[in-house]
Amino acid sequence: MPTRTADVQVKAMAEMHASPPDPYQSPAAERQRTPQKTGSKGTASRRGGPLLIGVLVVVLLVLHQDYWFWRNDTLVFGWIPLGLFYHVCLSILASLVWILATKIAWPAETIRAAQLATPTPASSPTPAANPLHSTGPREESER
Amino acid sequence: MNHPGLPQLIIILVYLSALLVLGLFSSRLFRGTLADYQVASHSIGPFMLLMSMFGTTMTAFALVGSSAEAFREGIGVYGMLASSSGIVHSLCFFLIGVKVWSVARTHGYTTQIQFFRQRLDSDLIGLLLFPILVGLVIPYLLIGVIGGGGVIQALTAGLAPEMFPVLTDDGTPDLALHGGVPAWLGSLVICGVVLVYVFFGGMRGTTWANTFQTLIFMILGVVTFVVIASRLGGQDGLYANLVALGESLPYEKATRVEMSRSLFFCYLLIPLSVGMFPHVFQHWMTARSAATFKLPVVFHPLFIMIVWFPCVLIGAWATGSLMPSEPPLPMTAGGTVDSNKILPFLVNTQTGVILSGFLAAGLLAAIMSSLDSQFLCIGTIFSNDIVTHYVGKERISDSRQVLLTRIFIIAIVAVTYLLSLGNVRSVFALGVWCFSGFTALFPIIVAALYWRGLSAAGAISGICAAIISWSVLFYHGLQVPIEQGGLGGFHLHWKLGSESIELMPVVVMLLSSSLTTVAVSLVTPKPKPETLAKFFP
């Protein structure tokens, strides 16, 4: 478990990263690939994105309660009941909202903090053997 | 090969053998570490995470249960659970999955209990959560075990009538099941196969198997839909058949006139359960990076659509005028249509023998892709949160831990198997109760991730409120006569003026756990500042 000192180090590392690393890729790769968002415009964008996605999710949930098609037995394309077709379209719309969410509301700050704090494989605690598979000592020795 | 049920049985056996080989093959990739066994060394990429998480969340509930419920309730079942899950599941992956992944990777957690213990500075919460999580996973396992046995029996009907007779009340053979491999035997074989590849392959094997099985059941699901539509419609050409089948739907099945609007609303809460599924938590931990979550978040609603849309339509079509009267629909001992067997029955009677064998494999794929994760997760929480936590890693040998964990998994599977031999009438109702329990625990994970004010006492009280309300309501549900819908027919009624609004039990469970958690947290001590600093930097 990280100690308090480690937490302080993590914070210090975060502050040192004036150019934040890619939250998803290696920090070096990110520095090469992604232009940094700076200033108030970037901050506003980061705040506005989650808000917009929040509103869109509420809209999806409201659209989900489609009382207006409750008794409608129209067959779309001659074979799909309207109530079913509507909800299939809602599934597609949900997917589009989630595409947008990954573009404008991705929790990069949270991920960045986790990435900075994640121990490297070399410093990870020594793993134990498979608890369910085969014999432990042999696997330990194979490592 | 022309013997009824034999080609299907051979294909099922070949498929199960292929799974065993895949499990053994993936065990060759095993790195010999606990992290590799439990979370595949956090190495799973976007595609496999998408497939494994989707395969895990889609079980007999999605295939057998959705078609069965559409047979009873009509097309509204899609809106009740599929489109709502498309919105809510992805929301949970986005808001909880990514955050949990970040926190757990930072602090090295593999299970929910590890996270809650550290987050709340409380050992008791782990002790409380362990039996509750295992207890709620059992009905979920039960869905798969029952569904799997039923599928095998229905699809091998006619194989050995003298050996495995199934008779109706008047003593005549029940043609939909007569001579098929008995459900108890099919369930036993499925449990055995899944146990073997989970024991050998761990999370890596499970993820590979899930990906393979998800591909299988998605492809074969679409094929099933096309073939059944072509046969049931009785017209030339797929489109003409679809139109004929659409027109054959009874009005009440093509609309939601018989569905309660308030219950439809309540069903929105059920998919929140994914946020507290322990096996989904463990799958989140396999992600290589946070970006790995993007693909599952985006494609999950579409994948749900691909699986649920055909199943719901097939279930609704089975109520239509084009449904052949011979052979008769499978019946329960009580003389009503056994809707759980509608999909396998249609596969068996409306497709060729070879194709129905493959489709049987597809149905089993969907079922087993959930069972494996649940078996593994039960073993992991027992190993990490009970054995290692209380005995100490240094005080128990690996081989001893292997033995204890295996015994625990086998004991849970045995309990589940024995329960499956009882007369469980509705996979769908059972699933809804199980998911309701997880939904009731949802406020605890949200508060733990996003609210500094959550206290250990608040979380423990919330968990107690959730499980007490679940138990009381479940007990009342058991008292509902079968003729009135049994467990699935139990609803609460809220008087609002002259109107009575129907509510699902999950509303009460969720409200009681939320209010209790917040109220108790407000008046009890918070975790230590250094603990909070770790989780809210």
Side-chain angles (χ1 to χ4, degrees), chain B residues 67 166 189 217 337 346 356 384 386 392 468 508:
Chain B
S67 50
V166 180
V189 171
F217 78 71
V337 174
L346 282 171
S356 77
N384 289 11
I386 301 297
I468 290 170
V508 174

Side-chain angles (χ1 to χ4, degrees), chain B residues 192-209:
Chain B
V193 169
V194 176
L195 274 177
V196 168
Y197 78 73
V198 166
F199 279 168
F200 278 89
M203 180 52 95
R204 193 175 296 281
T206 298
T207 304
W208 277 69

Side-chain angles (χ1 to χ4, degrees), chain B residues 299-336:
Chain B
F299 278 92
H300 196 77
L302 298 180
F303 276 28
I304 291 177
M305 180 189 78
I306 291 169
V307 171
W308 279 70
F309 174 73
C311 290
V312 167
L313 264 183
I314 288 172
W317 287 341
T319 64
S321 55
L322 292 177
M323 186 68 185
S325 55
E326 289 295 331
L329 294 171
M331 307 297 279
T332 63
T336 55

Side-chain angles (χ1 to χ4, degrees), chain A residues 1-4 7 10-11 22-25 53 57 60-61 64-75 77-96 98-103 105-107 110-115 117-119 125-137 139-140 142-143, chain B residues 27 30-35 37-38 75 78-80 82-84 86-88 90-91 94 98-99 101-103 105-107 109 118 199-200 225 239 242-243 246-247 249 251 254-257 259-262 264-265 268 289-291 293-294 297-299 301-302 305 309 312-313 317 376 383 393 398-399 401-403 405-406 409 530 534 537:
Chain A
M1 296 300 302
T3 61
R4 187 178 172 82
D7 289 335
V10 167
K11 279 187 181 173
D22 184 314
Y24 334 119
Q25 304 296 336
I53 296 302
V57 169
L60 283 176
L61 294 175
H64 181 266
Q65 303 300 306
D66 62 325
Y67 296 158
W68 45 91
F69 288 143
W70 211 255
R71 295 172 175 274
N72 193 324
D73 65 344
T74 305
L75 294 173
F77 305 126
W79 62 280
I80 311 175
L82 181 60
L84 180 58
F85 179 77
Y86 175 86
H87 279 273
V88 166
C89 292
L90 201 61
S91 296
I92 296 168
L93 189 60
S95 193
L96 294 174
W98 293 121
I99 290 176
L100 190 63
T102 59
K103 302 282 182 202
W106 196 244
T110 306
I111 298 161
R112 187 175 301 124
Q115 195 176 41
T118 302
T126 307
N130 174 359
L132 300 178
H133 172 232
S134 192
T135 54
E139 288 152 0
E140 284 287 300
E142 282 176 358
R143 279 189 293 109
Chain B
S27 75
F30 178 55
R31 299 178 188 173
T33 66
L34 187 65
Y37 190 82
Q38 295 182 344
I75 54 95
Y78 185 93
M80 245 168 37
S83 58
S84 56
I87 302 167
V88 176
S90 288
L91 183 65
F94 190 78
V98 177
K99 179 91 172 166
W101 179 89
S102 303
V103 171
R105 287 287 280 139
T106 306
H107 303 290
Y109 308 139
Q118 298 287 322
F199 279 168
F200 278 89
F225 175 75
Y239 181 71
L242 291 172
V243 170
E247 289 170 350
L249 281 174
Y251 175 72
T255 62
R256 284 162 281 177
V257 287
M259 197 172 272
S260 157
R261 293 182 181 190
S262 57
F264 187 83
F265 174 77
L268 260 181
S289 67
F293 280 85
K294 287 184 174 180
V297 165
V298 169
F299 278 92
L302 298 180
M305 180 189 78
F309 174 73
V312 167
L313 264 183
W317 287 341
L376 183 67
S383 170
K393 207 181 279 185
D398 288 335
S399 55
Q401 195 173 344
V402 171
L403 183 67
T405 309
R406 278 184 173 170
I409 294 179
E530 54 266 37
K534 274 167 48 178

Side-chain angles (χ1 to χ4, degrees), chain B residues 192-489:
Chain B
V193 169
V194 176
L195 274 177
V196 168
Y197 78 73
V198 166
F199 279 168
F200 278 89
M203 180 52 95
R204 193 175 296 281
T206 298
T207 304
W208 277 69
N210 271 353
T211 303
F212 170 67
Q213 299 200 93
T214 305
L215 282 170
I216 293 278
F217 78 71
M218 287 181 74
I219 293 168
L220 289 177
V222 175
V223 173
T224 307
F225 175 75
V226 172
V227 172
I228 289 179
S230 302
R231 287 290 295 272
L232 272 185
Q235 308 292 315
D236 291 328
L238 179 63
Y239 181 71
N241 281 307
L242 291 172
V243 170
L245 284 164
E247 289 170 350
S248 77
L249 281 174
Y251 175 72
E252 66 275 14
K253 304 296 180 192
T255 62
R256 284 162 281 177
V257 287
E258 293 183 342
M259 197 172 272
S260 157
R261 293 182 181 190
S262 57
L263 292 183
F264 187 83
F265 174 77
C266 292
Y267 265 97
L268 260 181
L269 302 175
I270 298 292
L272 290 173
S273 53
V274 82
M276 268 305 284
F277 283 161
H279 50 288
V280 169
F281 185 99
Q282 201 171 343
H283 270 290
W284 286 340
M285 291 304 100
T286 66
R288 183 193 304 151
S289 67
T292 310
F293 280 85
K294 287 184 174 180
L295 208 61
V297 165
V298 169
F299 278 92
H300 196 77
L302 298 180
F303 276 28
I304 291 177
M305 180 189 78
I306 291 169
V307 171
W308 279 70
F309 174 73
C311 290
V312 167
L313 264 183
I314 288 172
W317 287 341
T319 64
S321 55
L322 292 177
M323 186 68 185
S325 55
E326 289 295 331
L329 294 171
M331 307 297 279
T332 63
T336 55
V337 174
D338 188 350
S339 53
N340 285 337
K341 296 197 170 76
I342 284 294
L343 185 61
F345 170 77
L346 282 171
V347 166
N348 206 19
T349 56
Q350 302 300 320
T351 65
V353 286
I354 301 296
L355 187 56
S356 77
F358 279 111
L359 298 178
L363 287 171
L364 293 180
I367 291 164
M368 291 193 291
S369 63
S370 299
L371 285 179
D372 53 13
S373 302
Q374 291 157 349
F375 286 1
L376 183 67
C377 143
I378 283 176
T380 303
I381 57 178
F382 179 72
S383 170
N384 289 11
D385 302 322
I386 301 297
V387 178
T388 307
H389 184 76
Y390 287 108
V391 180
K393 207 181 279 185
E394 66 288 347
R395 292 176 58 192
I396 184 165
S397 68
D398 288 335
S399 55
R400 186 97 178 142
Q401 195 173 344
V402 171
L403 183 67
L404 286 174
T405 309
R406 278 184 173 170
I407 289 172
F408 181 74
I409 294 179
I410 291 171
I412 294 295
V413 174
V415 168
T416 307
Y417 176 73
L418 290 175
L419 289 173
S420 77
L421 301 179
N423 185 21
V424 180
R425 298 175 63 87
S426 172
V427 165
F428 193 88
L430 189 66
V432 168
W433 274 94
C434 162
F435 299 161
S436 298
F438 283 111
T439 296
L441 297 173
F442 181 77
I444 317 294
I445 183 80
V446 173
L449 288 170
Y450 290 101
W451 186 35
R452 296 172 67 98
L454 177 69
S455 69
I460 290 168
S461 309
I463 292 168
C464 290
I467 210 63
I468 290 170
S469 56
W470 188 92
S471 304
V472 170
L473 293 166
F474 189 76
Y475 173 76
H476 283 288
L478 289 174
Q479 313 305 314
V480 178
I482 298 298
E483 303 76 49
Q484 293 173 26
L487 265 181

Side-chain angles (χ1 to χ4, degrees), chain B residues 471-530:
Chain B
S471 304
V472 170
L473 293 166
F474 189 76
Y475 173 76
H476 283 288
L478 289 174
Q479 313 305 314
V480 178
I482 298 298
E483 303 76 49
Q484 293 173 26
L487 265 181
F490 177 69
H491 301 123
L492 301 160
H493 295 270
W494 181 32
K495 287 277 181 193
L496 195 66
S498 58
E499 281 194 41
S500 175
I501 297 174
E502 274 189 300
L503 293 175
M504 289 178 68
V506 68
V507 176
V508 174
M509 296 176 207
L510 188 63
L511 278 176
S512 60
S513 70
S514 304
L515 294 176
T516 309
T517 302
V518 173
V520 176
S521 291
L522 288 175
V523 296
T524 50
K526 310 293 174 281
K528 291 178 290 205
E530 54 266 37

Side-chain angles (χ1 to χ4, degrees), chain A residues 24-71:
Chain A
Y24 334 119
Q25 304 296 336
S26 72
E30 164 62 11
R31 278 191 289 273
Q32 288 175 353
R33 294 192 331 177
T34 310
Q36 306 306 317
K37 283 182 184 175
T38 53
S40 60
K41 192 177 173 185
T43 308
S45 161
R46 283 197 293 274
R47 285 176 187 162
L51 187 64
L52 176 61
I53 296 302
V55 170
L56 288 176
V57 169
V58 171
V59 169
L60 283 176
L61 294 175
V62 171
L63 289 175
H64 181 266
Q65 303 300 306
D66 62 325
Y67 296 158
W68 45 91
F69 288 143
W70 211 255
R71 295 172 175 274

